[in-house]
Amino acid sequence: MSPTPWQDLRVGDAERESALRSLGDHMAAGRLSVDEYGERSAHVATARTRGDIAALFADLPEPRPLFGQAPAPAPAPLAPPPPPPARRASDLVLPVVAVGLVLVGALVFRFFPPFLLIPLVIFLVARGRSQRWR
């Protein structure tokens, strides 16, 4: 029994996918029109042998389909971003102490210092925004 010539060997899905990728590369490079790509893709989908597919690439340069080789693996998906850091209790010490001092001053001395309240509000708002963008 003589060996089968390479043109007569049957193709599988991996070879057809490789041929379609190569045709897509040629269309993207401008070597094939959309109509030519459609016709050749239809022939690739119905191709039975390597010779059927090789005939579709006779007038095209590289890239050509890979016969008998597994297609390149798909790139690994990107890892999701890490979750934002949890707030610590020590992050709240300074604002709580400042608010407590303002309230004690207002209750004990019947004096409410608004000049302390404005910087405190600005500090709390700025700190919240900076932690949100980390």
Side-chain angles (χ1 to χ4, degrees):
M1 187 168 155
S2 65
T4 306
W6 76 270
Q7 301 97 322
D8 295 334
L9 291 175
R10 292 208 170 233
V11 293
D13 291 338
E15 288 92 359
R16 287 187 190 95
E17 288 174 9
S18 175
L20 288 173
R21 270 195 304 276
S22 297
L23 284 176
D25 292 342
H26 288 296
M27 185 179 73
R31 294 186 196 103
L32 295 176
S33 69
V34 175
D35 293 334
E36 287 176 308
Y37 173 78
E39 291 172 11
R40 292 183 191 214
S41 296
H43 287 293
V44 166
T46 59
R48 290 186 185 169
T49 65
R50 290 179 176 180
D52 295 339
I53 292 178
L56 298 172
F57 288 87
D59 61 338
L60 295 171
E62 293 292 329
R64 294 177 183 260
L66 303 173
F67 292 118
Q69 298 176 7
L78 297 176
R87 288 193 175 234
R88 299 180 307 232
S90 62
D91 291 343
L92 298 175
V93 171
L94 183 62
V96 169
V97 168
V99 169
L101 288 176
V102 170
L103 289 176
V104 167
L107 293 174
V108 173
F109 301 109
R110 297 186 193 273
F111 170 74
F112 186 73
F115 61 90
L116 288 179
L117 189 59
I118 293 170
L120 178 65
V121 170
I122 292 171
F123 170 76
L124 292 176
V125 169
R127 184 178 179 113
R129 285 189 181 165
S130 69
Q131 287 187 358
R132 207 175 329 160
W133 292 106
R134 283 186 192 172

